[in-house]
Amino acid sequence: MENKAYRGHVLALPFPIQGHINPLLQFSKHLVSKGLKATLATTRFIHNTMQPQSSSSLQFDTISDGYDEGGFAQAESIHASLNRMETIGSKTLADLIIKNKNTANPIDCIIYDPFLPWALEVAKKFGIFGAAFFTQTCTVNFIYHHVHHGLLKLPITSTPISIPGLPVLELDDMPSFISVPGSYPAYFEMVLNQFSSTDKADAVLVNTFYELEPEVVDSMSKVCQVLPIGPTIPSFYLDKRLENDNDYGLNLLLSDSFVCNNWLNTKPEGSVIYLSFGSMASLSNKQMEELAFALKGSKFHFLWVVMASEEAKLPKKFVEEIGNKGLVVQWCSQLEVLSNKAIGCFLTHCGWNSTLEALSLGVPMVGVPQWTDQTTTAKYVQDVWKVGVRAKVCENGIVEREEIEFCIKEVMESERGKDFQKNAKKWRELAIKAVSEGGNSDKNIDEFVSKFVNS
Ligand code: UDP
Ligand code: 7WV
């Protein structure tokens, strides 16, 4: 294998959580299909617990975030964990570059998550090409860009908010760090700091596709060239060009595909609501109860991902009482589920990967955003892409059961619901086109590779 003539060697460095690993891992596979060698660096903790297997399509290696034993869940605070990751991450990333230096395939390019802007400094120290890879929508990035450069002043005192290339936005449509001042200051600083490095980056990649956000891509391109390269969904679900590419391949939680598939396969087409709040879900007891009662009261089947850490919040006896009407699992293969004909709608927290997966598979949505970029993405689901509705939040911060039932009915059986379905199918076609040969994302990937590959 090592003697194979690669066009170059890229090292991909995601922020070490599921929603950031998936897109960078998938993008790396794309680069391998273009003749490059690709290595994905996770933390030692993730590597030791998951033991991902290197293959001809992707190599795995490690850096340390300073939490080798227990993962960064062990950190004393968010702020402390980010600092420690910077110090120890910089050092161990340098070690990894040095380790590869005198091999047949030294590292030519580092594709880093801009949540980790220090990675670019390390790359530059070694004279290596550095590319930022944004895992949120171009819209959200452009909002943070405006805040970072003082073009949008906080706190926001007048609404609606106008940013070139974006629809006018209300305060509730903004990322939560902006609409809820003072929430998660360390993360807010992190998302703004993404732009501390992008001026110096050799390329800026975004996991979106041009047709989804044309105006904002054009607008943002006036200040830095952005290359939309997504959606980074396993090829099997889109253009089927890459062989054996039907899964992300590094799942931090185990899923039982057999149980989900068997159950879904007994349900009529479009009859099941799929619900998930992503890998970081932490709902209130009250919100879980409202969801549970809404599902019990609705006439539709449902498949609900409730992570082990969330299970205790379910009403007592819920699982027993729903019988065959619903299935509750701790984790699933979401792509497999979304592509099952039985699914009629996806009630989602509007994490960007989940949303992009639903758009790519043509599944309409009910958005129940929780924090970070999810609120802005939910706005787009409803008002820009028109593939679903965003649930209204009560003054107490809860989406109540009546609202959940209403939103589900809107998507599953109303006249508007038919439009959502039609639009969702349209986005799926456009997503396939974008990544297929000659599509916008495919062309951008080629352009990106040509920037650092000699031949
Ligand atoms: N996911 C999964 N199984 C589940 C729930 C989620 O495989 O039961 C995957 C999903 O396909 C997506 C990722 O986990 O790729 C979640 O990323 P997202 O950006 O939607 O949300 P986050 O977890 O970052 O909040
Ligand atoms: C994890 C931690 C912080 C943030 C995110 C994930 C995200 O929005 O992707 Br800000």
Side-chain angles (χ1 to χ4, degrees), residues 19 22 248 274 276 278-279 305 331-332 334 349 351-354 357:
N22 286 357
Y248 285 114
Y274 167 61
S276 157
S279 62
V305 179
W331 193 250
C332 71
Q334 183 159 297
H349 70 314
W352 182 228
N353 294 291
S354 293
E357 288 161 13

Side-chain angles (χ1 to χ4, degrees), residues 404-429:
I404 298 166
E405 281 194 64
F406 171 78
C407 289
I408 288 172
K409 278 197 215 137
E410 278 296 283
V411 175
M412 294 289 273
E413 60 180 14
S414 76
E415 277 308 305
R416 270 171 93 199
K418 293 195 185 115
D419 288 336
F420 298 153
Q421 261 178 27
K422 225 185 290 156
N423 292 335
K425 297 252 152 21
K426 178 193 83 178
W427 290 117
R428 169 162 169 75
E429 294 311 315

Side-chain angles (χ1 to χ4, degrees), residues 159-430:
T159 54
I161 300 142
S162 292
I163 294 179
L166 273 59
V168 289
L169 299 174
E170 296 299 331
L171 197 54
D172 280 352
D173 303 327
M174 297 303 260
S176 66
F177 308 124
I178 295 174
S179 57
V180 187
S183 59
Y184 297 96
Y187 282 146
F188 191 28
E189 191 186 319
M190 176 178 79
V191 293
L192 296 181
N193 253 334
Q194 298 185 97
F195 296 93
S196 64
S197 69
T198 40
D199 291 347
K200 287 161 256 152
D202 298 299
V204 176
L205 308 164
V206 187
N207 183 21
T208 185
F209 57 102
Y210 181 75
E211 291 75 9
L212 267 187
E213 307 176 85
E215 294 91 359
V216 64
V217 172
D218 288 341
S219 240
M220 192 161 167
S221 293
K222 290 181 187 145
V223 292
C224 76
Q225 191 199 10
V226 290
L227 294 172
I229 49 72
T232 56
I233 310 280
S235 183
F236 175 79
Y237 294 97
L238 288 173
D239 61 333
K240 298 190 164 46
R241 274 201 292 169
L242 308 194
E243 268 176 49
N244 300 323
D245 179 30
N246 52 14
D247 186 21
Y248 285 114
L250 183 59
N251 296 302
L252 305 183
L253 295 167
L254 282 184
S255 59
D256 196 337
S257 288
F258 187 73
V259 170
C260 292
N261 290 336
N262 273 354
W263 188 84
L264 286 173
N265 291 340
T266 64
K267 303 292 175 280
E269 190 169 334
S271 70
V272 180
I273 311 156
Y274 167 61
L275 301 92
S276 157
F277 289 84
S279 62
M280 303 179 62
S282 171
L283 274 60
S284 65
N285 288 0
K286 177 78 182 145
Q287 187 62 75
M288 287 292 275
E289 194 177 295
E290 292 305 297
L291 283 160
F293 279 109
L295 292 172
K296 231 171 160 179
S298 106
K299 60 178 185 225
F300 303 105
H301 296 292
F302 63 90
L303 168 56
W304 188 4
V305 179
V306 179
M307 289 191 300
S309 54
E310 295 283 286
E311 260 176 350
K313 300 173 187 173
L314 282 172
K316 285 198 182 55
K317 298 210 183 135
F318 176 72
V319 174
E320 293 159 43
E321 284 169 15
I322 55 173
N324 189 41
K325 180 176 178 185
L327 179 66
V328 177
V329 297
Q330 293 186 343
W331 193 250
C332 71
S333 165
Q334 183 159 297
L335 289 159
E336 227 172 73
V337 168
L338 286 175
S339 62
N340 194 299
K341 286 193 169 53
I343 300 297
C345 116
F346 180 14
L347 189 150
T348 170
H349 70 314
C350 292
W352 182 228
N353 294 291
S354 293
T355 307
L356 203 44
E357 288 161 13
L359 289 164
S360 298
L361 290 163
V363 180
M365 289 168 258
V366 173
V368 184
Q370 303 294 304
W371 73 310
T372 178
D373 59 336
Q374 296 154 15
T375 35
T376 314
T377 304
K379 155 80 180 172
Y380 271 59
V381 163
Q382 178 178 277
D383 294 333
V384 178
W385 303 316
K386 301 187 165 63
V387 286
V389 294
R390 172 182 179 179
K392 291 195 179 53
V393 183
C394 258
E395 271 150 35
N396 58 6
I398 300 288
V399 179
E400 296 187 328
R401 61 190 80 174
E402 295 78 12
E403 171 68 7
I404 298 166
E405 281 194 64
F406 171 78
C407 289
I408 288 172
K409 278 197 215 137
E410 278 296 283
V411 175
M412 294 289 273
E413 60 180 14
S414 76
E415 277 308 305
R416 270 171 93 199
K418 293 195 185 115
D419 288 336
F420 298 153
Q421 261 178 27
K422 225 185 290 156
N423 292 335
K425 297 252 152 21
K426 178 193 83 178
W427 290 117
R428 169 162 169 75
E429 294 311 315
L430 290 171

